[in-house]
Amino acid sequence: MVFSSLTFLFYFLPAFLLLYFLIPKKMKNAVIFLGSLVFYFYGVKEQPAYVLLMLLSVGVNYAAARKMGGQTERKGRKRWLFAGLTYNLGCLFIFKYLDFISENINALLGWAGVEGRLPYAELVLPIGISFYTFQITSYLIDVYWERVPEESSLLTLGTYLCMFPQLIAGPIVTYSQVREQLKSRRQSLSNLEEGLREFTIGLGLKVLIANQVGNLWNQIRSIGFESISTPFAWLGLMAYSFQIYFDFYGYSLMAKGLGLIMGFQFPDNFRNPYLSTSMTDFWRRWHITLGSWFREYVYIPLGGNRRHLFRNLLLVWMLTGLWHGASWNYILWGLFICLLICLEKLGWRRVLERFPLLGHLYMFLVIPLSWLLFAVTNLGQLGVYIERLFPFFRGEEAAVFTGDFFKYGRMYLFSLLAAFVCCTGLPRKIYEKKKDSLVMALGLVAIFWACVYCMYIGLDDPFLYYQF
């Protein structure tokens, strides 16, 4: 079940909220927990055992944290931390990376002339496993570091992990950020109104912008990379860059809005990332909760900036790439980001900050190129697309300027312009100033029903980050 679907908007959400607001305060966590299980079951109904997998994650980590809290010696605490991490990361490895490892070992065996081959598990990736694994892992580590006490209520921990607004695609909320809200929170009409506004804005970004510009990228894939011109290749790459941003930003706003309605304050996940002047700055603005997770639980424990800086950056960005997917294109993506950040650490960033216009032009080039490694998973096709982008390397006639740029440029002009303007943050500033006006309220109503119409005619694509 996706937020941008008629099923969610007109069946699940009204029923859930009606029950949530009618039920006594002490039972609200139970409503969230059970409602989230229904929500998740709808998404994995063809593999219903995956609901049990998530529940097992709650139970194992609850037990490990409780055992850890009962230990007086550090050695005993470390033993239970290791047990919990082994389960969490082991499940993630089996479902997400086992076949990738087998595939590469088999390729090496074939290259070496060895006849034996490792079998493939061919497991379907459980929806949201990367997100909820990182959340529960952060809880376990925080208990070990004594940042938070172990949770005594299994229901409360289950509510934290399974909460449907951020279960599937984040933001990655740590237990310490919502611990007090899980125990006591306030629902109010102002929170309800603000939550519905945020949800509607996110829905509009997803349905009216991300889905529309995403169609342009789908057109390019249908045509074939070999058959597109250089200007059209750049246009398509810009469209994908807009799609992935507004798809994920829209989801994060919807999640934040739903959290507000229920009385939770989720952290912001984006802060105008396309206005960055360096890749370092970009990753402080993009998927903020994922970056914070790797900084707190990997980068700083390794030594951060204090020792082995470049080794730590390399490890963190390789892991970040692998977190997104078990494929070489994601590893290349992580290495590409790492290379740029290392160059910035060596002095390039100071130049970019001194000349902001140069920084914006630099990011205008490297942001789409980085997303190309996301968009094209086949390395052979990736090479073809790069040749389309930079035809002077090969000088092939197929890459010269043709009419496809004008044809599809006119077709998607309004969507691309809307995406560009929204990237500047200007619409958000106008909204914040005029949010209490009648005109803005009517505008949000219009956005909502425009989204409903698009979903009704079949434009309710799943969120891109569901695949991670």
Side-chain angles (χ1 to χ4, degrees):
M1 190 186 307
V2 298
F3 296 163
S4 56
S5 68
L6 299 179
T7 302
F8 179 82
L9 290 177
F10 294 104
Y11 293 95
F12 176 83
L13 187 58
F16 171 82
L17 292 181
L18 180 64
L19 184 60
Y20 182 75
F21 284 113
L22 289 178
I23 211 75
K25 182 179 293 187
K26 63 181 181 180
M27 298 179 63
K28 290 188 185 297
N29 280 355
V31 173
I32 294 176
F33 181 64
L34 294 175
S36 298
L37 293 183
V38 172
F39 175 87
Y40 192 73
F41 176 80
Y42 188 91
V44 298
K45 53 182 178 291
E46 295 183 1
Q47 295 89 24
Y50 287 173
V51 176
L52 298 178
L53 181 69
M54 186 174 63
L55 291 176
L56 192 58
S57 180
V58 176
V60 168
N61 285 275
Y62 174 80
R66 294 286 285 175
K67 289 289 186 179
M68 199 187 306
Q71 300 291 321
T72 56
E73 297 183 359
R74 188 176 183 84
K75 185 177 180 180
R77 294 174 60 81
K78 187 176 292 186
R79 185 184 302 117
W80 284 107
L81 172 68
F82 180 78
L85 293 181
T86 299
Y87 173 81
N88 294 337
L89 302 180
C91 285
L92 187 61
F93 175 83
I94 290 172
F95 283 97
K96 194 167 185 175
Y97 304 107
L98 183 59
D99 280 354
F100 176 66
I101 298 296
S102 298
E103 178 185 354
N104 283 278
I105 290 177
N106 288 338
L108 289 174
L109 292 175
W111 178 77
V114 179
E115 295 184 359
R117 294 291 184 273
L118 295 178
Y120 295 106
E122 297 183 346
L123 298 172
V124 177
L125 184 67
I127 297 174
I129 189 172
S130 297
F131 286 92
Y132 73 70
T133 297
F134 268 33
Q135 289 204 168
I136 201 65
T137 297
S138 71
Y139 162 72
L140 202 62
I141 295 173
D142 283 349
V143 171
Y144 173 76
W145 284 341
E146 298 183 340
R147 288 181 174 177
V148 297
E150 68 276 11
E151 176 54 58
S152 60
S153 169
L154 182 61
L155 174 61
T156 300
L157 187 64
T159 302
Y160 158 68
L161 184 64
C162 302
M163 199 182 311
F164 73 87
Q166 43 80 59
L167 170 63
I168 304 299
I172 299 175
V173 182
T174 62
Y175 175 75
S176 61
Q177 290 173 321
V178 294
R179 176 171 171 260
E180 296 301 325
Q181 298 166 48
L182 286 165
K183 306 292 184 180
S184 176
R185 56 189 177 274
R186 185 175 65 91
Q187 293 83 45
S188 65
L189 287 177
S190 61
N191 276 353
L192 175 62
E193 179 187 358
E194 186 66 19
L196 289 175
R197 285 172 177 267
E198 292 294 310
F199 182 89
T200 302
I201 294 171
L203 183 66
L205 294 177
K206 162 61 178 171
V207 176
L208 302 181
I209 295 183
N211 287 357
Q212 307 310 313
V213 295
N215 287 335
L216 175 55
W217 176 249
N218 292 334
Q219 293 271 10
I220 287 181
R221 290 196 302 180
S222 299
I223 293 170
F225 300 157
E226 299 85 353
S227 304
I228 62 175
S229 70
T230 293
F232 191 32
W234 280 103
L235 185 69
L237 194 52
M238 293 299 295
Y240 182 81
S241 300
F242 287 139
Q243 180 192 11
I244 195 170
Y245 173 47
F246 289 110
D247 185 282
F248 196 19
Y249 180 34
Y251 180 95
S252 296
L253 282 180
M254 283 187 270
K256 185 176 181 180
L258 292 170
L260 278 171
I261 292 171
M262 293 186 288
F264 291 92
Q265 293 283 343
F266 293 158
D268 291 332
N269 218 15
F270 292 88
R271 192 170 59 249
N272 297 324
Y274 285 178
L275 296 182
S276 304
T277 55
S278 67
M279 189 55 72
T280 302
D281 185 33
F282 178 85
W283 277 97
R284 290 172 179 169
R285 296 165 173 253
W286 176 283
H287 205 343
I288 297 170
T289 57
L290 179 65
S292 297
W293 195 97
F294 273 107
R295 183 176 63 252
E296 291 294 322
Y297 300 104
V298 180
Y299 183 67
I300 292 177
L302 286 173
N305 297 332
R306 300 187 307 277
R307 62 180 186 273
H308 307 301
L309 169 63
F310 295 108
R311 182 207 66 180
N312 297 342
L313 286 172
L314 177 61
L315 181 59
V316 165
W317 282 105
M318 285 191 66
L319 290 175
T320 304
L322 279 171
W323 179 87
H324 282 91
S327 178
W328 281 106
N329 66 297
Y330 295 117
I331 296 175
L332 289 174
W333 171 82
L335 292 175
F336 179 67
I337 301 296
C338 180
L339 174 63
L340 295 179
I341 291 178
C342 287
L343 290 174
E344 292 174 7
K345 293 283 186 183
L346 292 171
W348 176 230
R349 187 184 176 199
R350 289 196 294 271
V351 176
L352 298 174
E353 290 177 343
R354 185 177 180 183
F355 303 100
L357 179 59
L358 175 63
H360 288 302
L361 292 174
Y362 161 73
M363 293 303 292
F364 186 78
L365 174 66
V366 299
I367 287 175
L369 289 177
S370 69
W371 292 138
L372 177 62
L373 297 170
F374 252 60
V376 184
T377 57
N378 182 282
L379 296 185
Q381 287 295 298
L382 178 63
V384 172
Y385 205 96
I386 292 174
E387 290 177 2
R388 300 298 96 181
L389 294 173
F390 304 102
F392 44 82
F393 287 141
R394 297 287 297 272
E396 296 182 355
E397 293 184 2
V400 299
F401 191 86
T402 63
D404 54 4
F405 174 81
F406 288 115
K407 175 184 176 181
Y408 291 97
R410 286 194 300 267
M411 190 180 302
Y412 291 97
L413 178 61
F414 179 78
S415 297
L416 291 169
L417 286 176
F420 178 80
V421 171
C422 288
C423 279
T424 66
L426 179 60
R428 185 73 192 197
K429 291 180 180 178
I430 296 174
Y431 166 75
E432 292 296 339
K433 289 182 178 180
K434 306 290 185 181
K435 63 188 299 183
D436 295 326
S437 67
L438 177 62
V439 172
M440 194 59 68
L442 293 175
L444 290 175
V445 171
I447 288 173
F448 176 81
W449 287 108
C451 292
V452 169
Y453 173 75
C454 289
M455 289 183 282
Y456 177 73
I457 62 177
L459 300 179
D460 54 344
D461 298 340
F463 291 89
L464 291 179
Y465 261 70
Y466 276 14
Q467 63 188 293
F468 307 129

